[in-house]
């Protein structure tokens, strides 16, 4: 089969690799129909997170079950499934608590020795604990497949951020970051009943999506100017609920400064840079809570799936470029140069 491999910064290749097989009784093999490129993949692409030459890449995919191990009971050949961006056994103490990203047997797609999502097929460890079945007829609905693909990461991560920020009916919400996760956090906040959602972003194509997702206000400024604009919109106090979906020192500092005293920040931006931008004394003095981290999207998929299926939740507009397998390197280049928001890969 063909799969995307990374060899050095900016050196991605689509190469022939061995077809995966079920190696353990709990494995399944999924033939990928849709995958995508994540903003966090760009850190490896740019050389800011280490990868071994030839390592697989990609962690968001859905597809058809092709093979199952002898102990897999919940799936059979031909089932349409979506995979969260980490596998998990579904039975350890962390999984039972809903923190599937801390599963004692869990791992990330594209880890050394494992398949990545940006390939034609994937061996799935702990299939019963990892995969979620989708309706069979969704396989012939391109628009619905696009929406369902977001459940593998960005929609669940945006939901995790909104929960961490304490979004509830009637709240004011600020979303720092106009990438796919930030935009999905806008959707999540609206779904959870936010009264006002202020999106921070300076790229009109992205802020137009934010408005389409339900953002009531857009702030294009950055840094101190953004803080001033948000405070003006919130009566000088800031918002009780703030999402940080970037991961830089500046974005975290902005998130803290637009949070109302007694509020909470839900942070899901993968931290990178020289510092966190956090001053614990500020959080202490102003009673600001900080919650978030790696999103346990496997826990959230059953809650979000019905709304995607009935059309009341449609994150598919975050995909603004579609490529086939041969186009994956170009898709990375487009996202790196910010000419694409999020790239979908079709097989």
């Amino acid at each position: 089969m063909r799969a995307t491999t990374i060899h050095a910064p900016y050196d991605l290749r689509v190469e022939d690799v061995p077809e995966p097989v079920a190696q353990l009784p709990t494995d399944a093999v999924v033939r990928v129909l849709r995958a995508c490129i994540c903003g966090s993949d760009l850190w490896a692409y740019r050389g800011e997170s280490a990868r071994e030459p030839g390592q697989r890449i990609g962690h968001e995919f859905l597809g058809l079950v092709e093979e199952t191990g002898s102990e897999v009971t919940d799936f059979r050949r031909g089932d349409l499934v979506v995979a969260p961006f980490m596998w998990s056994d579904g039975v350890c103490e962390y999984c039972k608590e809903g923190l599937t990203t801390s599963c004692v047997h869990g791992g990330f797609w594209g880890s050394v020795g494992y398949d990545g999502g940006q390939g034609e097929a994937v061996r799935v460890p702990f299939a019963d604990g990892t995969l979620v079945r989708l309706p069979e007829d969704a396989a012939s609905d391109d628009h619905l497949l696009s929406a369902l693909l977001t459940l593998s990461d960005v929609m669940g991560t945006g939901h995790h951020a909104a929960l961490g920020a304490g979004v509830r009916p009637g709240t004011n919400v600020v979303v720092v970051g106009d990438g796919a996760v930030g935009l999905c956090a806008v959707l999540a906040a609206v779904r959870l009943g936010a009264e006002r959602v202020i999106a921070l972003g300076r790229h009109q194509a992205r802020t137009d999506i934010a408005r389409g997702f339900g953002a009531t206000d857009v702030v294009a400024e950055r840094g101190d100017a953004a803080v001033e604009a948000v405070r003006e919109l919130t009566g000088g106090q800031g918002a009780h609920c703030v999402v940080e979906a970037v991961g830089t020192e500046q974005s975290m500092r902005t998130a803290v400064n637009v949070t109302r005293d007694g509020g909470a920040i839900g942070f899901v931006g993968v931290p990178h840079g020289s510092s966190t931008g956090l001053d614990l004394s500020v959080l202490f003095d102003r009673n600001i809570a900080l919650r978030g981290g790696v999103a346990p999207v496997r826990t959230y998929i059953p809650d979000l799936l019905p709304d995607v299926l009935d059309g009341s939740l449609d994150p598919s507009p975050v995909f603004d470029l579609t490529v086939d397998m041969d186009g994956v390197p170009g898709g990375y280049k487009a996202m790196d140069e910010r000419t694409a928001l999020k790239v979908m890969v079709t097989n």
Side-chain angles (χ1 to χ4, degrees):
M1 72 165 190
R2 294 187 302 161
T4 308
T5 58
I6 185 165
H7 294 261
Y10 303 101
D11 182 4
L12 283 176
R13 307 174 193 176
V14 178
E15 300 183 303
D16 290 328
V17 300
E19 285 273 358
V21 296
Q23 299 176 11
L24 298 172
T26 52
D27 288 349
V29 174
V30 172
R31 183 65 54 176
V32 176
L33 294 179
R34 297 287 186 278
C36 52
I37 301 171
C38 182
S40 64
D41 291 330
L42 296 179
W43 303 122
Y45 180 68
R46 296 166 180 159
E48 296 184 38
S49 59
R51 293 292 188 275
E52 292 187 4
Q55 190 172 338
R56 308 289 178 84
I57 195 166
H59 55 259
E60 301 160 283
F61 64 95
L62 58 75
L64 297 171
V65 174
E66 193 167 75
E67 179 188 356
T68 58
S70 60
E71 294 181 13
V72 175
T73 59
D74 293 345
F75 302 97
R76 57 181 175 82
R77 181 180 174 87
D79 283 344
L80 180 66
V81 294
V82 62
F85 65 81
M86 289 184 68
W87 69 80
S88 52
D89 64 18
V91 297
C92 76
E93 290 301 316
Y94 287 113
C95 287
K96 290 177 180 177
E97 294 170 5
L99 194 60
T100 51
T101 49
S102 292
C103 175
V104 296
H105 297 119
F108 287 93
W109 310 113
S111 300
V112 175
Y114 291 89
D115 297 315
Q118 292 158 21
E120 293 182 324
V122 176
R123 179 177 76 88
V124 178
F126 302 104
D128 283 343
T130 300
L131 299 173
V132 177
R133 183 183 289 104
L134 303 173
E136 182 179 351
D137 57 0
S140 60
D141 187 330
D142 285 339
H143 182 87
L144 181 56
L145 280 180
S146 299
L148 291 168
L149 179 59
T150 67
L151 296 178
S152 65
D153 187 347
V154 288
M155 188 61 235
T157 298
H159 180 67
H160 185 58
L163 292 178
V167 178
R168 56 199 180 279
T171 51
N172 289 339
V173 180
V174 174
V175 176
V176 181
D178 62 359
V181 169
L183 295 174
C184 286
V186 171
L187 262 183
V190 172
R191 178 178 178 273
L192 292 171
E195 180 176 312
R196 188 175 198 179
V197 180
I198 303 168
L200 271 59
R202 56 172 52 187
H203 304 277
Q204 185 173 346
R206 300 181 179 204
T207 55
D208 285 349
I209 295 174
R211 289 190 185 278
F213 281 176
T216 55
D217 304 271
V218 169
V219 169
E221 293 84 358
R222 299 181 71 178
D224 292 342
V227 174
E228 182 179 347
V230 169
R231 290 194 171 273
E232 184 175 342
L233 288 169
T234 56
Q237 294 185 336
H240 268 119
C241 309
V242 176
V243 166
E244 193 286 310
V246 182
T248 64
E249 181 176 351
Q250 182 188 55
S251 62
M252 183 59 80
R253 183 177 294 113
T254 297
V256 171
N257 290 336
V258 299
T259 304
R260 186 183 188 275
D261 288 15
I265 299 169
F267 74 106
V268 292
V270 179
H272 53 277
S274 60
S275 177
T276 63
L278 287 174
D279 183 338
L280 291 181
S281 66
V282 173
L283 301 184
F284 182 85
D285 291 343
R286 297 178 52 211
N287 281 281
I288 293 175
L290 185 65
R291 295 187 291 267
V294 186
V297 299
R298 176 60 181 83
T299 297
Y300 299 141
I301 291 174
D303 180 34
L304 299 171
L305 178 58
D307 289 0
V308 174
L309 292 175
D310 70 17
S312 60
L313 180 66
D314 183 11
S316 64
V318 300
F319 295 112
D320 59 348
L321 177 63
T322 300
V323 299
D324 60 13
M325 281 291 299
D326 291 329
V328 171
Y332 271 84
K333 187 173 187 292
M335 285 182 61
D336 183 51
E337 296 175 349
R338 297 181 72 85
T339 58
L341 168 62
K342 189 167 180 67
V343 174
M344 181 164 61
V345 183
T346 61
N347 282 329

